[in-house]
Structures are given as C-alpha cells and as structure tokens.
Amino acid sequence: MKIFAAESSCDESALAVFDSGRGVVAERVNTQIALHGQFGGVVPDLAAREHLANFPALLEDICRSVDPAEIDAVAVTRGPGLAGCLALGIAYARAVAAAWGKPIAAVNHLRGHLFSPFIPVHEEDPAAFPRRRAALFPHLGLVVSGGNTLLVSVDAECRVEILAQTVDDAAGEAFDKGAKLLGMPYPGGALIEKQARLARVRGTFAFPRGENLRKGARFSFSGLKTSLRYRLEKMSDAELAAALPEICADYQDAIVAQLAGKTSAALRERRFASLGVSGGVSNNGALREAVAEIAAKSGIPLLAARPRHTGDNAAMIAFAAWFDAQLPPPARALPVSFAPALTIDVP
C-alpha cells in the first residue's frame, strides 16, 4: 500500500509517500525559517501564502520519484496547527485526491509525531513489523515540539491516554523565547544547545525545574522563561557575554530535567514495554542522552524519531495513516484530541 501525504500545520510545506512494503520512498520539505526569522517567529498569513507557492513544485518533484497511478490513498494533516495553513493543506490534498481518484484520510498531527519513532522499526523489516510492534506496547511517548509538550501512554490497541501536558509554554517555546531574551535569532533552540556545550561549569544559575508529576499531570515552562528574564535584567551586557555558555547550559538543563523527571516518574508508576521521543525538541542532544539513560535504567528500548522526522514532515503523516488503518475498531473510537486517521469525502 502506498500513501501520499501532505503536511502544512505551521511553516513547513511537506509532501511524502510511504510504501508499506518498503518504508518512506519519497519526501520533500520546504522550510520557511529564513522568511519568518526576520520577524522573530512564525507569521500565520505569510506561512499560508508560502504553502500555496511551495506545494506545486514539491508535488512535481515527488512525481518524478513515484508514479501517481501507484498511489492507493492520500493523507493530510487535519490539526492541531495554524488554521489558515491547515485549511490550505487540506484543500490541496483534496484536490490531489480528486485529480488522482484516490480516497483521502485526515490525520492528527500529534499522532503523526507520536508514532514517528516507529518508522525506523518498520523500515528495518516491514514484513516483521506487526510482530515487532506488538512487543513494543504498552508504549510511553514523549512528544516535544515548538507548540506541544505531551507525555502519553499508548496501550496494545493504540488507545492514547495523556499523562501530562503543558499548561502554558511548550518546551520548544521555552527554548526559542529564552533564546530571544538572550539576543539570539529565531529559531534559537539549537543556538542555546550550541552555547551550552561551551559551558565550563554547571549549576551557577538556579532556574526552576517544574513540578513533580505526582503534584499534577502537567508541564510548565513559563516560570522558567520569566526567571531567565529577571536574571538578565540584573546583568550588564559584559556580564551576559562572559556567562552566556553557563546561562544556556543551566537553562537547557532546567528544561531537560523537567521532561526527564516526569518521564522517569511515569515509568516508575506504570509498566511500559518501550519509550519513544519525538518532535522538534527531541533533536536536542542533552534530551536524547537523558531519555536514553532513562530507558536503559528501565530495561526497555528507546525509540527515537530520525532527525529528519522530528520536525513537521509529511512522512509521519503518511505513516500514521497507514498505521491507523491496521488498528482494530475499538482503537478508532478515541477522543478527537488524539483520534486516528479519519476518512473524509472527496468532491
């Protein structure tokens, strides 16, 4: 089965084709970082217009690799995301599905991130994937991106239960907003990590690390950002320049400590067969090291999304659409917040 997918939830225009017998066979992503960087963040109207300009060229490129006649179905991100960007992607996918005479399915963006760590597992041996998948559930997934921070439990029928989620800023926002306070350009998460590697000592700056999971199933990063702002207000430019690596290291450590702490707590309270990490922030080296250590101590495998599939991409949307098609009926009756792919009409 071959599924063509489109992703346009924010500022990445992406198309991909997933082949259930091989894996991801074609994928293209056009990022808008340079455009939005000059404004210090994503401008929704500009992002939507860029999707409209980008999709035709991306589709032409995809069709050089895959014959549309071989496509069995079309999938598209239905949310969450920026309303205008989502609407344009859905309209484009519906047009493609109608032109090719294919059925179309709408996929939850977070579900795409959640199951993206299973793409490498599938591609290692597609024929054995159903058996290997069964051994990896129940699964604990940490989804960490610019707009979302979630810790979720997935049972053997792939029913999703949210164990913790952010009540204010997502981890990615904390990185980017912290970087902005430090005078770094958007997006600044990777720049904070780069500076953190240069730190000579750690623990100089005490930043809040969030609540314990037992005190509430939530993440919170707004207090961390505020703490950084108050700290910087008391420093001169020269002091900031001299201490920048140490500030970045302690700020990053505070974010990672909260993510790792709640993940560890969830593994102490329940039994899981695997741990997964995905989303753009999962590219952070310190976070990857932390979750790898947690998985090793728990004696379970760590499933990490490939770097190219951590940001917004269409490969995860195509994979999730196929993955959901394999689920038994009970798993398809989930709450809308994390519901599997839904079939939508093609005019």
Side-chain angles (χ1 to χ4, degrees):
M1 184 179 191
K2 289 184 180 178
I3 299 178
F4 168 89
E7 153 64 30
S8 65
S9 62
C10 192
D11 60 336
E12 265 80 38
S13 308
L15 301 177
V17 176
F18 171 78
D19 183 341
S20 60
R22 296 167 56 195
V24 180
V25 294
E27 55 185 322
R28 304 291 185 274
V29 179
N30 190 309
T31 182
Q32 303 174 23
I33 287 178
L35 174 65
H36 298 286
Q38 59 187 310
F39 301 102
V42 176
V43 181
D45 289 348
L46 286 178
R49 287 201 292 269
E50 285 297 299
H51 291 312
L52 183 62
N54 293 335
F55 273 140
L58 293 177
L59 179 60
E60 184 178 349
D61 201 12
I62 285 282
C63 289
R64 292 192 185 101
S65 303
V66 180
D67 184 352
E70 299 176 357
I71 299 297
D72 297 294
V74 173
V76 62
T77 303
R78 65 182 174 89
L82 300 176
C85 295
L86 289 167
L88 194 146
I90 291 171
Y92 193 81
R94 286 169 67 96
V96 170
W100 293 353
K102 309 296 181 182
I104 184 171
V107 177
N108 183 290
H109 177 78
L110 294 177
R111 199 169 176 87
H113 276 307
L114 177 61
F115 291 120
S116 61
F118 289 86
I119 295 177
V121 179
H122 171 274
E123 291 184 342
E124 285 177 8
D125 191 345
F129 181 70
R131 172 179 53 79
R132 296 186 65 190
R133 180 187 68 186
L136 294 171
F137 288 91
H139 174 74
L140 180 64
L142 178 63
V143 179
V144 200
S145 67
N148 300 279
T149 299
L150 296 148
L151 189 64
V152 300
S153 168
V154 191
D155 68 14
E157 284 74 42
C158 292
R159 289 174 295 204
V160 177
E161 177 189 357
I162 298 175
L163 302 181
Q165 59 185 319
T166 183
V167 295
D168 41 56
D169 290 347
E173 286 181 274
F175 271 115
D176 289 339
K177 290 179 179 178
K180 188 173 183 178
L181 289 172
L182 290 165
M184 299 175 181
Y186 172 86
L191 299 177
I192 286 182
E193 181 182 9
K194 183 177 180 180
Q195 282 292 327
R197 294 195 195 104
L198 303 176
R200 292 161 297 190
V201 295
R202 279 180 141 82
T204 304
F205 301 92
F207 292 116
R209 299 193 170 202
E211 300 176 332
N212 185 278
L213 186 62
R214 293 185 179 86
K215 295 181 180 179
R218 59 192 184 186
F219 293 98
S220 176
F221 297 100
S222 65
L224 171 62
K225 178 190 64 181
T226 302
S227 177
L228 174 63
R229 179 166 63 86
Y230 287 159
R231 170 72 66 173
L232 295 178
E233 287 175 353
K234 299 175 182 178
M235 300 178 71
S236 67
D237 290 345
E239 289 173 329
L240 172 58
L244 183 60
E246 286 70 32
I247 291 175
C248 288
D250 289 343
Y251 187 80
Q252 174 180 266
D253 287 349
I255 295 174
V256 172
Q258 186 176 164
L259 296 170
K262 293 183 187 294
T263 302
S264 294
L267 286 168
R268 287 194 299 269
E269 294 174 359
R270 298 193 189 186
R271 176 193 167 277
F272 292 98
S274 64
L275 171 63
V277 60
S278 57
V281 180
S282 70
N283 267 330
N284 180 279
L287 177 58
R288 290 228 173 188
E289 289 177 8
V291 292
E293 182 177 349
I294 290 169
K297 287 182 178 179
S298 301
I300 60 176
L302 173 66
L303 309 181
R306 289 195 179 107
R308 70 176 185 273
H309 294 148
T310 53
D312 296 342
N313 65 92
M316 71 180 188
I317 300 303
F319 179 77
W322 172 79
F323 191 93
D324 287 342
Q326 319 304 309
L327 299 181
R332 299 178 186 174
L334 297 174
V336 174
S337 61
F338 250 108
L342 301 175
T343 300
I344 57 178
D345 295 331
V346 177

